């Protein structure tokens, strides 16, 4: 009916139709990202996969926390989820994400799957009513 799709095609279709950013982080690099991460950050998918680590987009005030939690998750340790972080976009602007991390196997090696909805508007709304 829809043609034959393999598992990777189905995963790409599912993750590319959501506004939540999905990232697979392995050995210090982004090895998978969906369209939402590009839309949120302003970086192309090629830039994200070839020359940018997830650490590069995390705002410096959150860098240590994010590194600690991702490395802990890679070791199989419990990490509170989600937790709010600020990132820096390609254009220099900041955005807020609610980051969740799960340990997975990616191509036979341990990796961390990050899901991160953009909560920037929510943060602005909460500040406006405070």
């Amino acid at each position: 009916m829809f043609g034959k799709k393999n598992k990777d095609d189905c995963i790409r279709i599912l993750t590319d139709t959501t506004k939540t950013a999905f990232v697979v982080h392995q050995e210090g690099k982004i090895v998978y990202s969906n369209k939402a991460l590009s839309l949120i950050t302003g970086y192309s998918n090629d830039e994200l996969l070839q020359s940018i680590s997830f650490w590069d987009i995390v705002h410096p005030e959150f860098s240590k926390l994010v590194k600690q939690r991702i490395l802990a998750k890679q070791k199989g340790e419990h990490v509170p989820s989600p937790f709010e972080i600020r990132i820096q976009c390609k254009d220099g602007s900041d955005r807020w994400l609610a980051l969740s991390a799960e340990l997975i196997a990616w191509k036979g090696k341990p990796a961390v799957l990050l899901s991160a909805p953009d909560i920037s508007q929510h943060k602005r709304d909460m500040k406006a009513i405070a």
Side-chain angles (χ1 to χ4, degrees):
M1 163 161 86
F2 292 103
K4 188 175 180 178
K5 298 281 184 190
N6 69 33
K7 185 170 89 172
D8 291 342
D9 291 336
C10 290
I11 291 169
R12 175 63 75 180
I13 290 167
L14 286 171
T15 62
D16 278 348
T17 57
T18 181
K19 292 181 180 181
T20 297
F22 285 97
V23 176
V24 176
H25 195 267
Q26 185 178 58
E27 299 175 345
K29 297 183 290 190
I30 297 172
V31 294
Y32 172 87
S33 66
N34 68 340
K35 287 181 184 177
L37 185 64
S38 292
L39 293 172
I40 292 168
T41 65
Y43 290 102
S44 71
N45 195 52
D46 286 342
E47 288 174 306
L48 292 165
L49 294 175
Q50 295 172 9
S51 59
I52 296 173
S53 167
F54 191 71
W55 321 129
D56 295 335
I57 63 173
V58 174
H59 191 278
E61 79 178 84
F62 290 91
S63 184
K64 184 177 178 181
L65 172 70
V66 172
K67 283 183 182 181
Q68 285 174 335
R69 292 194 174 175
I70 288 176
L71 293 173
K73 187 52 94 170
Q74 285 176 330
K75 295 176 187 173
E77 298 173 12
H78 172 73
V79 173
S81 246
F83 57 100
E84 295 179 359
I85 66 164
R86 192 162 52 146
I87 62 166
Q88 294 180 309
C89 300
K90 187 174 183 176
D91 67 3
S93 66
D94 290 348
R95 302 291 284 264
W96 285 91
L97 305 177
L99 192 65
S100 295
E102 292 298 326
L103 183 62
I104 64 167
W106 184 264
K107 299 187 178 180
K109 296 181 193 174
V112 176
L113 172 64
L114 304 170
S115 60
D118 183 346
I119 59 168
S120 302
Q121 186 62 49
H122 174 73
K123 297 284 274 186
R124 287 190 292 272
D125 293 346
M126 295 307 290
K127 187 176 181 178
I129 62 173

